[in-house]
Amino acid sequence: MADHLDPEKVPQPQAHQIEVGQVDEGYVLDSRLYGGAEKLAADGGLKTAADGHTILIPQPTDDVHDPLNWSATRKNIVLAIISATAFVADFGSSIGAVTLLPQAQEWHLSPTTVQHNLVANIIVLGVFGLIIVAFSNYLGRLPVLLFCLTVSIGTAAWCAAATSFNSFLAARIVNGLFSGVTQSGGLMFIQDIFFFHEHPRKINIWSAAIVLSPYLGPFTGAFVIWKTTWRWSFWIVTILTGLCWLAVLLFMDETYYDRGASAAAAATVPVARGSRLGRLLGIEQWRRSRVRGGFVRSVTRPLIAVSKLPVLLCCLYYFVIVAWVIGVNAALAIWLTQFYRFNPKNLGLFYFAGITGAILGQAVGHFLYDLAGRRYVRAHQGRIEPEARLAMTWLSTPLLAVGLVVMSFALQHTWHYMVVAVFWAMQVAGLMIATTSISAYLLDAYPEGSGEVGAWIAVARTLGGFVSIYAEIPWVTGVGMEKALGTQAALTVAAAAIVVFLQFYGKRIRHRQGPMY
């Protein structure tokens, strides 16, 4: 933060406004704007971070059971578990992209028919997340997470043991219904336990798990079918899901905490009280379910969330950019086999490019998000607007568009496959940066709807995947690689206009529509 902040030049908000950390001009992050942490502590008892001047948003209570008061180690364990669980969902989904050929041979079906399992799994993976978030708000995060993982273990094993395509298809659909529990609900866990200034880095870690998994899935599956039966691909998914289930059983706890009441009331009846077994089973949360407003309110929250224009526009933007990333990922194995005569081993090694792109995007974001935030705060007298989170899309858009354009020429004219690899990695890195940017923006804009905005982002991602998987190959076959991927690049750039619109008018729209609840 800057040392030149001048309190005399900035209108002073009232004490009740500072208390929640947000005023009409944005979130107040730097206590030096108001005379320092000591003055704030004397005036209103506000708490700051270890640096002595970053205001903690939201303000933690004095209750030891408040998740905001958990140790950094305990919080990071929770983050690791929800990230791993989110990873396994798309890892298991995408692994089916490379198992469909041996499955088609075993069941005497066309690859196109077997591909229906992949499409069905992807679509339910995101859409059912809206229901999962609703039940997480009503019954608590922990019991819903444990239940979903329990079902996911059984259905992953069912996939591995299926003896017919119809049985396998049913298993994939049911698995998709429950395995995306922390893909859709990840943001609500992050909002529950981390402070505002920590959000970008934590979201970046969680997002990296989601973006990385569709590349590690086919990478793993390619080597599995190269050496053994396709069934071991899904036994691996079963084992990984089981490890996540065990981690939840051993280390997770309920993260929901009622901040609508006063600090004294919250300390008196926090959801985190009672036996841990009761919290795992949802008994303690059920006893206090009325604190959250009841079942009807919980199930209608997602509809209220998408009625907010910034949420709808962000989902539209994300739908457009993610569709072509998933489309390329789904079709690349076919293109590489057709143009470069790749075998399963070559395909597996090629997926290192996508993995590298996701890791590079995460590494860049890890430092740039905080840097961009600090620069914004310095330039705006200790405040930050949610729209500031969108600035990083100015970096992601050219990465996404240029990656598509160069790949189109490389594949059309059969340039060296390393050209495809480099610019595919560029496209994936762009998606990684954009995912964190959009997620951080919506979480900061609507912290009261953290689960709902995360679920709608997941819906946009799965709908984009659903459309592109069916459209990519026929599109390329019909008009050629250059025209198809070139058009996709143009649509990506055009979609960036949505973000620019929100940067200029997002704050005005948010204030006019009001908070979600």
Side-chain angles (χ1 to χ4, degrees):
M1 307 296 179
D3 295 327
H4 67 270
L5 297 173
D6 187 358
E8 299 297 328
K9 296 181 180 179
V10 183
Q12 301 295 297
Q14 301 299 312
H16 74 276
Q17 293 176 305
I18 302 177
E19 185 176 353
V20 295
Q22 189 178 22
V23 294
D24 288 343
E25 292 78 16
Y27 285 89
V28 179
L29 283 184
D30 200 321
S31 65
R32 290 175 292 186
L33 182 61
Y34 307 105
E38 294 181 359
K39 184 177 185 301
L40 281 178
D43 292 343
L46 289 186
K47 301 172 183 178
T48 58
D51 61 13
H53 59 80
T54 300
I55 299 173
L56 296 179
I57 306 170
Q59 286 282 289
T61 67
D62 293 326
D63 181 14
V64 295
H65 295 283
D66 184 346
L68 290 175
N69 291 325
W70 290 354
S71 67
T73 299
R74 187 178 182 185
K75 291 182 179 182
N76 287 326
I77 288 174
V78 171
L79 178 64
I81 292 172
I82 66 168
S83 298
T85 306
F87 169 86
V88 172
D90 264 354
F91 177 88
S93 179
S94 62
I95 210 168
V98 295
T99 62
L100 61 88
L101 290 178
Q103 287 172 326
Q105 293 175 354
E106 178 176 332
W107 292 323
H108 306 292
L109 298 169
S110 69
T112 303
T113 300
V114 178
Q115 190 184 41
H116 292 333
N117 87 84
L118 178 61
V119 176
N121 180 267
I122 288 174
I123 195 69
V124 298
L125 193 65
V127 174
F128 197 72
L130 296 168
I131 299 175
I132 290 175
V133 166
F135 276 95
S136 296
N137 283 326
Y138 183 62
L139 299 175
R141 325 300 200 209
L142 183 60
V144 172
L145 175 58
L146 185 65
F147 174 77
C148 288
L149 283 176
T150 302
V151 177
S152 297
I153 295 172
T155 51
W158 179 8
C159 289
T163 56
S164 68
F165 174 68
N166 288 338
S167 175
F168 179 74
L169 177 62
R172 289 279 276 172
I173 291 173
V174 179
N175 181 264
L177 290 174
F178 295 95
S179 62
V181 55
T182 60
Q183 277 200 1
S184 299
L187 288 181
M188 65 185 175
F189 287 96
I190 292 173
Q191 173 68 19
D192 286 345
I193 64 176
F194 292 107
F195 297 106
F196 176 89
H197 67 279
E198 299 175 304
H199 286 171
R201 282 195 173 186
K202 305 307 179 183
I203 292 172
N204 198 39
I205 293 171
W206 167 74
S207 297
I210 296 173
V211 174
L212 182 63
S213 55
Y215 304 98
L216 269 173
F219 169 80
T220 304
F223 283 103
V224 168
I225 64 174
W226 179 46
K227 288 295 186 180
T228 183
T229 174
W230 64 265
R231 296 181 184 278
W232 262 106
S233 296
F234 292 96
W235 285 124
I236 291 173
V237 175
T238 306
I239 293 169
L240 292 177
T241 308
L243 291 174
C244 291
W245 181 89
L246 186 62
V248 169
L249 197 66
L250 294 177
F251 302 113
M252 280 289 289
D253 208 333
E254 180 59 57
T255 62
Y256 175 81
Y257 192 88
D258 178 27
R259 303 191 184 281
S262 65
T268 303
V269 288
V271 172
R273 296 286 173 88
S275 69
R276 185 166 184 277
L277 179 60
R279 297 194 298 275
L280 277 168
L281 298 178
I283 298 171
E284 298 298 331
Q285 294 90 327
W286 175 260
R287 290 173 179 172
R288 297 166 175 82
S289 61
R290 291 185 179 180
V291 172
R292 293 182 291 281
F295 181 73
V296 174
R297 182 173 185 269
S298 295
V299 298
T300 56
R301 284 166 62 107
L303 298 177
I304 297 172
V306 78
S307 71
K308 303 300 180 181
L309 189 57
V311 177
L312 184 61
L313 289 177
C314 282
C315 289
L316 177 60
Y317 165 76
Y318 197 61
F319 166 84
V320 173
I321 66 169
V322 79
W324 320 129
V325 178
I326 295 175
V328 169
N329 187 33
L332 202 56
I334 297 174
W335 294 337
L336 292 173
T337 302
Q338 178 182 349
F339 301 144
Y340 298 98
R341 302 291 187 265
F342 273 25
N343 59 32
K345 179 183 177 182
N346 300 141
L347 288 174
L349 291 172
F350 193 85
Y351 273 92
F352 266 121
I355 295 167
T356 302
I359 293 173
L360 287 176
Q362 197 279 336
V364 169
H366 183 77
F367 297 102
L368 286 188
Y369 281 106
D370 278 359
L371 177 61
R374 288 195 297 268
R375 288 177 64 87
Y376 188 97
V377 169
R378 284 199 299 267
H380 294 82
Q381 292 291 320
R383 309 171 192 270
I384 188 170
E385 295 282 0
E387 285 72 25
R389 305 299 193 195
L390 296 173
M392 290 292 288
T393 60
W394 288 81
L395 173 60
S396 65
T397 298
L399 293 177
L400 289 161
V402 172
L404 278 167
V405 169
V406 177
M407 274 194 294
S408 72
F409 284 104
L411 290 166
Q412 181 77 40
H413 301 288
T414 324
W415 294 353
H416 196 281
Y417 62 81
M418 282 305 298
V419 177
V420 181
V422 169
F423 286 91
W424 184 39
M426 177 185 291
Q427 185 197 29
V428 176
L431 179 66
M432 177 69 242
I433 295 170
T435 300
T436 300
S437 181
I438 290 297
S439 300
Y441 167 63
L442 288 180
L443 180 59
D444 292 351
Y446 299 103
E448 70 279 11
S450 55
E452 289 76 19
V453 298
W456 279 112
I457 292 172
V459 169
R461 179 170 57 248
T462 54
L463 289 178
F466 174 78
V467 171
S468 63
I469 285 175
Y470 276 119
E472 190 75 8
I473 294 177
W475 191 357
V476 169
T477 303
V479 302
M481 193 73 67
E482 289 182 2
K483 290 183 178 180
L485 269 62
T487 302
Q488 293 169 14
L491 290 172
T492 297
V493 174
I498 295 174
V499 176
V500 175
F501 174 81
L502 287 173
Q503 286 180 298
F504 281 97
Y505 299 105
K507 176 181 175 180
R508 188 182 306 175
I509 295 170
R510 288 188 293 107
H511 286 182
R512 181 171 298 177
Q513 289 191 303
M516 285 188 184
Y517 318 112

